[in-house]
Amino acid sequence: MEDGTSKSLGYCGDTDDDYDVLQWDTREDCEVRQILDRVADKWSLLVIALLDRRSLRFSELRREIDGVSQRMLTRTLRHLERDGLVSRTVHATVPPRVDYELTSLGATLHATIRALVTWTETHQNEIAAARTAYDARVLAEQSAADAQAAERDEIARNVLSSPTMDRTPTRSTRSTA
């Protein structure tokens, strides 16, 4: 195997001995990246959080998650079920009833999500202040750039409208001998 090549599509390790296992691989075919993309999207996080306490029907989940479409919730639940995080139970009733609940694997992920939410709640004021400072800086930079552009435009207008500037086109004439 050549240096720098993967063992398989899902293999995310590096061929170097000094590979940092805590560094996430950024390749698209990396399973770790794919799993993180799946469980860290906003709908998955909300579904996992809601299913922590009890099983819920599809309609209950949809009602609880503001802004999710039926199609997106269906896709999210299917992905979570495929990954072994959510189980789906179909009850043979009329009308059919389907319940969703966290698996034991999904419950372990919920603890991690809870830690992330706790961190967010702890630092939300700092993040809000950083956003405000960033927005003010970007606005100031844009205002300065706009002022410089206006100044350049004014200089150009003054140069073009100056009476000392001869803007009469000249025609080259050939001398005939």
Side-chain angles (χ1 to χ4, degrees):
M1 180 183 299
E2 290 183 37
D3 284 343
T5 59
S6 298
K7 293 180 182 176
S8 69
L9 285 179
Y11 180 75
C12 299
D14 202 346
T15 54
D16 297 335
D17 291 335
D18 61 346
Y19 176 70
D20 180 5
V21 295
L22 298 178
Q23 177 63 45
W24 298 337
D25 197 305
T26 57
R27 288 189 315 250
E28 203 171 319
D29 62 345
C30 177
E31 284 186 42
V32 171
R33 177 177 167 189
Q34 292 171 2
I35 294 167
L36 286 172
D37 286 347
R38 171 74 39 76
V39 299
D41 75 66
K42 69 179 178 178
W43 304 123
S44 293
L45 289 172
L46 292 170
V47 166
I48 292 167
L50 286 170
L51 292 177
D52 177 50
R53 299 220 159 102
R54 64 183 180 99
S55 67
L56 293 170
R57 296 173 71 175
F58 182 91
S59 59
E60 292 172 311
L61 283 166
R62 185 152 183 228
R63 194 171 28 254
E64 291 292 325
I65 302 174
D66 189 37
V68 70
S69 68
Q70 180 172 339
R71 179 179 180 273
M72 196 67 226
L73 182 55
T74 299
R75 288 186 66 199
T76 299
L77 288 165
R78 284 183 185 156
H79 289 301
L80 292 173
E81 183 180 8
R82 180 173 183 254
D83 289 343
L85 302 172
V86 168
S87 67
R88 178 179 185 261
T89 306
V90 180
H91 301 279
T93 61
V94 177
R97 186 177 127 207
V98 180
D99 289 325
Y100 295 91
E101 63 184 330
L102 285 183
T103 63
S104 55
L105 180 61
T108 63
L109 179 59
H110 185 268
T112 303
I113 292 170
R114 191 176 319 128
L116 180 62
V117 170
T118 300
W119 179 89
T120 304
E121 289 171 344
T122 301
H123 298 286
Q124 66 184 340
N125 291 336
E126 294 168 71
I127 293 168
R131 287 177 176 173
T132 300
Y134 174 87
D135 292 345
R137 188 181 80 243
V138 167
L139 182 63
E141 289 170 358
Q142 185 61 51
S143 295
D146 291 347
Q148 289 175 348
E151 187 178 323
R152 285 191 304 271
D153 289 347
E154 182 64 26
I155 291 169
R157 266 190 244 102
N158 289 339
V159 168
L160 292 174
S161 65
S162 172
T164 59
M165 185 170 182
D166 183 12
R167 289 177 293 176
T168 308
T170 58
R171 213 178 245 192
S172 62
T173 56
R174 283 188 177 170
S175 57
T176 54

